[in-house]
Amino acid sequence: MPSKKSPNPIDIHVGSRVRLRRMMLGMSQEKLGEHLGITFQQIQKYEKGTNRIGASRLQHIATVLKVPVAFFFEDAPGTPEEAAKGFEEGKPATYVVDFLSSSEGLALNKAFVQIKDAKVRKRIVDLVKSLADDEPVS
C-alpha cells in the first residue's frame, strides 16, 4: 500500500494564511465552517494543508474573511516575489505568521496597534528586546 503523500507547500501556506486571517478576526473554525456550509474538521484540514482548497471555495473563504484571494498567496513558496529574494536571510514571513497564529501573538499585536503614541510603542519594543536578551538559551 503506497504511503500517504505529504501536503504541497503551497497548500500548507494557503491554509496557514486562512488560519492567520481567521484568528485576526477572532473567528472560530466552527464559525468559518458555518459560513461555508462545512464542518470545523474540514477547516482544520484546510488550515493544515492536508486538504487542498478549490478555487470557488477559496473565493468564498476570502469573501467571508474580508480579504482578496491574493492575501492567501502572499510570500508563498515558489512565487516570483519569493524567488526574487534569492539568498536573503531566513524567511521572515514564516515567523510572523507563526507569531500571529498564536493566541499570545495575536493578543499582543491587537493591543500594540491600539497604542497611538509612537514613542510608547518604541519603548515597548525596546522593553521586549531587553527581556528577550535576558532569556537563557536552552
Side-chain angles (χ1 to χ4, degrees):
M1 189 165 164
S3 64
K4 198 136 171 111
K5 203 170 94 171
S6 60
N8 181 293
I10 298 288
D11 295 329
I12 294 169
H13 179 81
V14 169
S16 73
R17 299 285 292 181
V18 169
R19 182 173 195 271
L20 169 66
R21 181 62 183 162
R22 178 182 60 74
M23 291 185 75
M24 287 172 75
L25 295 174
M27 183 183 290
S28 68
Q29 289 176 331
E30 294 90 298
K31 195 71 173 165
L32 179 56
E34 284 174 24
H35 282 290
L36 301 172
I38 59 177
T39 65
F40 79 90
Q41 291 95 335
Q42 183 63 45
I43 299 297
Q44 286 176 332
K45 290 176 182 178
Y46 284 157
E47 290 183 356
K48 290 178 185 167
T50 49
N51 282 15
R52 182 170 288 162
I53 305 172
S56 59
R57 175 70 40 87
L58 189 60
Q59 178 65 53
H60 194 181
I61 291 170
T63 302
V64 170
L65 298 180
K66 300 177 177 75
V67 291
V69 171
F71 170 85
F72 303 113
F73 295 95
E74 289 173 7
D75 298 317
T79 59
E81 297 81 25
E82 187 198 62
K85 292 177 186 173
F87 293 104
E88 274 185 23
E89 198 177 302
K91 288 182 83 174
T94 303
Y95 78 80
V96 171
V97 169
D98 291 346
F99 171 71
L100 289 175
S101 294
S102 71
S103 57
E104 297 90 355
L106 193 59
L108 185 60
N109 187 60
K110 282 182 175 180
F112 186 82
V113 297
Q114 291 177 0
I115 299 169
K116 302 296 179 223
D117 188 332
K119 289 178 184 172
V120 172
R121 287 195 308 268
K122 167 116 177 50
R123 291 182 68 197
I124 291 170
V125 170
D126 292 342
L127 170 65
V128 172
K129 283 181 179 177
S130 72
L131 291 171
D133 289 344
D134 289 346
E135 285 293 311
V137 179
S138 23

